[in-house]
Amino acid sequence: MKENIKWWQKAVVYQIYPRSFQDSNGDGIGDLQGIRQHLDYIQKLGADVIWLNPVYVSPNLDNGYDIADYEAINHEFGDMQAFDNLLTEAHDRGIKIIMDLVVNHSSDQHPWFIESRSSKDNPKRDFYIWRDAVDGHEPNNWGSFFSGPAWKLDTATNQYYLHLFATGQPDLNWENKTLRDAIYKMMNWWVDKGIDGFRMDVISLISKPDNLPDGPIPVGGTYGDANSIVANGPRVHQYLTEMRQQVLNNSDLMTVGETAGVDIENAKRYSALDASELNMIFQFEHMELDNNPNPALGKWNDQPVDLIKLKANLSKWQTELAGKAWNSLYWNNHDQPRIVSRFGDDSPEFRVVSAKMLATLLHCMQGTPYIYQGEEIGMTNATNYHLEDYNDIEIKNAYDYLVIKEQLIDAQTFLKYVHAKGRDNARTPMQWSANDYAGFSTVQPWLKLNNNYAEINVETALADPDSIFYHYQKLIQLRHELPIFTTGEYLLLDSDDAEVYAYKRLTKDEELLVICNFTKEGQIRLYPIPDAAELLLSNYLDDQHELLRPFEAKIYRFKKI
Ligand code: NOJ
C-alpha cells in the first residue's frame, strides 16, 4: 500500500445507539446529554470517531431510520443545542462524529411524503416511487426486508408506493434531480455545522433498475428477492460521484456506505482509494454465513458459523480490496446479535477470553475497525427475553409472517432464533454498573435490560486491569502506534484449519503473526516464530508456544524471516 495514509485509515470508530446508551433525564430513553457524560470513557478506550445512529425527528417505527425531519433532533434525545454541545465537546477531546444518513427512504410522516401522497400532480409526487396496480395486484413481486410485500396501496390516489423496509419507510426516488439536490443541500447543512462524515444507510439500494423487474422467489418463499435486483443498481455509482462533487469534496470527511448485496467489483468502486465515491463500505457476507439453510427463513437460525467459511470470506475481502479500496472491520452493530454470543462463547468460563480472541482477530486486519457500544465489555445476547419483550419491527413482522401467516416455524423455534439473531440483542441498554437499571437510567428503560448486568458492566470492567475493555484499549493503541496494522499486507495461513484462524500482516521488513484458537478445546499448532519475536498481546498471562489454550489469541511481531 502506498503512503499518503488518510486519517480515517488509522482511526477506530465507536458506534453509539443513542436510545440505549445513557438516559440523562429519567425518561428511560438514552439521549445526547447522556452521551456527553461518557465522552471521557470513549476517550479512555482510545476511539477516534463516534458514529451516531439516527438522532433526527422520527415517529420511531424503525427507531430513527424513518426520518420525518432531517435537520432537527428528536425531542427524546434533546435539541440542536444539545447536539452542538456534544459535537464541540467531542472535538475538544480530539474525537470526531459521523452522522447516520438515511436517504434510501424517509418516514411517511416527512412533509415530502405527505405532499407526495396528496395527489398525482403534486410537485413532490415524483420524490417517491409510485406505480399503478398490475392485474389488480402489486406492481411487482418484491418482498420487503421486514416481511410481506414491498408495496402499499395508497387509497388517496389509488396507486402503490414502494417501501423496501416498513410501510412507514417509503423509498425516495433518486431518479429525480430535484430530490437529489434537496438531499445534497441537507448534507451540506450538516457539513457546515462541522460534523466529520456520514454513515450511509443502505446506500447500495438507491438506484432502482428501470422497469422494476420481478425478483427470484426463494424456495418455500412467497415474495421475490428485491435485494438481488436493486442492490448496486444502474446509476448508483453515478449518484455517489455526484454526491462527492456536490457535498463530500467540500470538507475532509469520512464516509462509510452500508451496502447490502455488494460484491467485490462494486466494492472496489464504492470505496476506491482515489475517493471518487465513498471511503469504505460495510459488506454483509461474513454476517450471512450463519443464515438458515432454508432460504425462506433467511437470517433466522441458531447454528454456529463454520470457521473455514468465515476465513475464506474475510480473507477474500482482505486480499481483493488490498491496494485498491478500503475495508471496514466489524463484528457488531445495532442490527447484529452480540459477537461473543454468536462466534465466541458467552458462558462464564469462556466469555472474557473468547471476546478478547474475537477482538484480536478483527483488529489486526487491514481496514477501519468499528466497536459497537458494549462490545468492549463483552455484552451478550439477551436470553431473558420473551416474545412480548421485543420492540424491533423486524422481529415483530417476522413473527407475524413466519409463525402466524405462513406457519413455517412454531413460536418456540422462532424465539430460539430471535435469542440468537434478533436485533434487540444489540439494543438492550448499555450496562454501566450493577446499580438499578444498570446505571443506564433511573427508571424502567424503554427496552428490557439484559439480566446479567450485575456481572457484566463498565464499572467492573474498568476496575479489572485484565478486562475485555483494556484488551480493546491495547488493540487501539497498537493500531495507533504501529503502521503495520494499517499498511501491512494480509496473508492467511492454513485455510483448511477448522479450529485455529492464523494470519500474517507483512511489510517489507516486519511481520505480525496473529493466532486465534476458535474453540474451547486446547489445540497444538506449530508456526515458525523467531526467538527474537515480541509477543505484542495475548489473552492469557503466559505463552505456552505451540499449545493454544481455549480461545487463546496471540499477536507476535518480528523482523521479516
Ligand atoms: C439499515 C439499518 O442499519 C437498519 O437498522 C434499518 O432498519 C434499515 N437500514 C432501514 O433503514
Side-chain angles (χ1 to χ4, degrees):
M1 191 169 115
K2 291 284 154 278
E3 298 333 306
N4 190 15
I5 303 294
K6 305 286 194 315
W7 66 264
W8 42 263
Q9 290 179 292
K10 285 180 292 189
V12 176
V13 182
Y14 188 80
Q15 183 192 345
I16 293 182
Y17 195 70
R19 247 187 139 60
S20 302
F21 194 61
Q22 177 70 63
D23 171 19
S24 75
N25 62 349
D27 64 358
I29 297 171
D31 47 50
L32 294 173
Q33 173 61 21
I35 299 172
R36 272 171 85 191
Q37 292 170 5
H38 292 296
L39 287 173
D40 287 342
Y41 171 74
I42 296 164
Q43 191 173 28
K44 185 177 172 84
L45 181 63
D48 308 276
V49 182
I50 293 172
W51 153 24
L52 271 191
N53 282 105
V55 289
Y56 318 95
V57 170
S58 163
N60 280 325
L61 205 62
D62 186 20
N63 287 348
Y65 281 94
D66 46 326
I67 298 175
D69 184 343
Y70 287 102
E71 295 180 11
I73 302 291
N74 191 333
H75 68 91
E76 291 170 327
F77 295 142
D79 56 17
M80 200 49 85
Q81 189 57 51
F83 177 82
D84 291 341
N85 294 342
L86 174 65
L87 187 62
T88 306
E89 290 183 22
H91 284 172
D92 288 347
R93 289 169 173 78
I95 299 173
K96 298 178 189 283
I97 296 190
I98 65 170
M99 304 294 285
D100 223 302
L101 178 82
V102 188
V103 288
N104 172 69
H105 45 267
S106 72
S107 162
D108 63 356
Q109 301 306 305
H110 193 290
W112 290 342
F113 189 74
I114 294 173
E115 278 194 51
S116 182
R117 81 186 332 172
S118 65
S119 77
K120 283 186 179 170
D121 51 14
N122 185 283
K124 299 271 184 331
R125 182 69 171 180
D126 193 43
F127 271 27
Y128 295 85
I129 300 170
W130 295 96
R131 291 290 184 278
D132 288 325
V134 174
D135 299 332
H137 292 286
E138 284 84 5
N140 70 17
N141 73 356
W142 294 354
S144 144
F145 286 99
F146 290 159
S147 307
W151 295 94
K152 181 160 193 245
L153 184 66
D154 202 49
T155 46
T157 55
N158 206 28
Q159 277 195 317
Y160 283 89
Y161 68 86
L162 178 68
H163 62 90
L164 289 178
F165 293 88
T167 51
Q169 293 170 299
D171 280 56
L172 287 158
N173 178 19
W174 275 70
E175 303 300 312
N176 184 300
K177 175 82 169 66
T178 315
L179 180 260
R180 297 205 301 278
D181 286 343
I183 290 173
Y184 303 148
K185 184 160 170 257
M186 173 274 286
M187 291 174 74
N188 276 319
W189 185 85
W190 282 101
V191 173
D192 290 345
K193 259 189 172 297
I195 63 150
D196 302 289
F198 297 101
R199 173 269 185 191
M200 302 186 186
D201 192 61
V202 288
I203 204 72
S204 54
L205 303 182
I206 56 176
S207 170
K208 279 55 176 186
D210 301 331
N211 308 324
L212 310 179
D214 281 348
I217 300 177
V219 181
T222 308
Y223 297 102
D225 173 23
N227 194 34
S228 61
I229 303 289
V230 176
N232 318 305
R235 281 168 290 280
V236 66
H237 296 291
Q238 177 193 319
Y239 296 152
L240 291 178
T241 310
E242 182 180 81
M243 183 193 283
R244 171 142 300 276
Q245 285 150 6
Q246 302 283 327
V247 182
L248 306 177
N249 281 343
N250 296 343
S251 192
D252 186 14
L253 301 173
M254 166 178 163
T255 51
V256 49
E258 190 205 26
T259 49
V262 71
D263 54 11
I264 294 282
E265 287 322 302
N266 278 291
K268 284 185 192 159
R269 297 182 67 184
Y270 288 128
S271 56
L273 290 175
D274 71 2
S276 47
E277 297 181 22
L278 308 176
N279 299 139
M280 63 190 101
I281 55 155
F282 292 124
Q283 61 85 18
F284 284 85
E285 288 178 354
H286 67 303
M287 295 280 103
E288 290 166 357
L289 297 172
D290 54 1
N291 275 3
N292 201 299
N294 175 356
L297 293 177
K299 73 181 239 182
W300 301 110
N301 196 20
D302 63 352
Q303 291 307 300
V305 71
D306 174 337
L307 182 61
I308 293 184
K309 286 191 186 146
L310 182 66
K311 280 182 187 182
N313 186 264
L314 292 175
S315 301
K316 176 182 88 174
W317 285 92
Q318 287 287 298
T319 50
E320 294 280 345
L321 297 201
K324 302 182 186 90
W326 195 246
N327 272 299
S328 14
L329 308 171
Y330 75 96
W331 286 138
N332 271 117
N333 60 42
H334 63 291
D335 293 332
Q336 299 295 340
R338 293 284 178 180
I339 199 63
V340 69
S341 306
R342 185 180 190 178
F343 292 175
D345 184 328
D346 63 9
S347 67
E349 197 179 356
F350 296 123
R351 184 184 65 87
V352 171
V353 79
S354 69
K356 289 180 183 174
M357 181 277 288
L358 289 163
T360 308
L361 179 57
L362 194 77
H363 281 246
C364 293
M365 290 190 177
Q366 186 170 61
T368 299
Y370 288 71
I371 300 168
Y372 177 70
Q373 65 185 45
E375 179 181 340
E376 75 283 8
I377 57 165
M379 279 177 61
T380 67
N381 283 351
T383 44
N384 57 317
Y385 267 53
H386 307 289
L387 280 173
E388 60 276 16
D389 295 323
Y390 289 103
N391 164 278
D392 177 21
I393 187 166
E394 182 186 55
I395 297 174
K396 290 182 172 169
N397 287 6
Y399 177 82
D400 289 346
Y401 181 72
L402 298 173
V403 181
I404 305 293
K405 182 157 182 280
E406 300 292 323
Q407 300 183 358
L408 293 178
I409 42 177
D410 61 36
Q412 267 321 98
T413 310
F414 183 73
L415 182 60
K416 211 163 50 123
Y417 291 168
V418 178
H419 279 166
K421 297 297 272 305
R423 305 196 298 182
D424 279 342
N425 287 303
R427 301 173 182 187
T428 61
M430 181 73 179
Q431 296 167 199
W432 293 104
S433 69
N435 296 341
D436 287 351
Y437 309 116
F440 164 76
S441 178
T442 49
V443 300
Q444 189 67 45
W446 71 278
L447 189 66
K448 186 168 157 177
L449 282 152
N450 189 318
N451 62 356
N452 61 18
Y453 69 87
E455 298 85 57
I456 303 173
N457 61 63
V458 169
E459 204 171 278
T460 307
L462 292 180
D464 172 8
D466 201 27
S467 69
I468 302 167
F469 177 90
Y470 291 111
H471 194 84
Y472 272 89
Q473 186 191 54
K474 191 76 208 285
L475 285 165
I476 298 173
Q477 275 165 14
L478 286 170
R479 179 166 290 265
H480 286 158
E481 284 162 16
L482 302 179
I484 190 170
F485 277 80
T486 309
T487 60
E489 186 188 330
Y490 172 94
L491 180 70
L492 177 66
L493 306 179
D494 307 327
S495 56
D496 53 359
D497 185 330
E499 287 96 23
V500 178
Y501 192 148
Y503 65 91
K504 286 187 172 186
R505 300 290 306 279
L506 307 161
T507 61
K508 66 178 181 336
D509 44 22
E510 51 166 16
E511 300 192 10
L512 294 180
L513 171 61
V514 183
I515 304 169
C516 295
N517 179 3
F518 235 78
T519 69
K520 57 179 170 205
E521 284 85 43
Q523 305 286 344
I524 306 284
R525 294 291 185 281
L526 198 55
Y527 300 98
I529 303 169
D531 290 342
E534 178 191 358
L535 182 61
L536 285 181
L537 187 64
S538 142
N539 56 355
Y540 278 82
L541 293 176
D542 62 345
D543 187 357
Q544 298 198 0
H545 308 284
E546 61 267 34
L547 170 64
L548 300 175
R549 286 152 289 184
F551 298 108
E552 184 157 1
K554 302 191 269 194
I555 315 169
Y556 293 100
R557 177 192 186 202
F558 43 86
K559 292 266 166 273
K560 207 155 186 177
I561 322 181

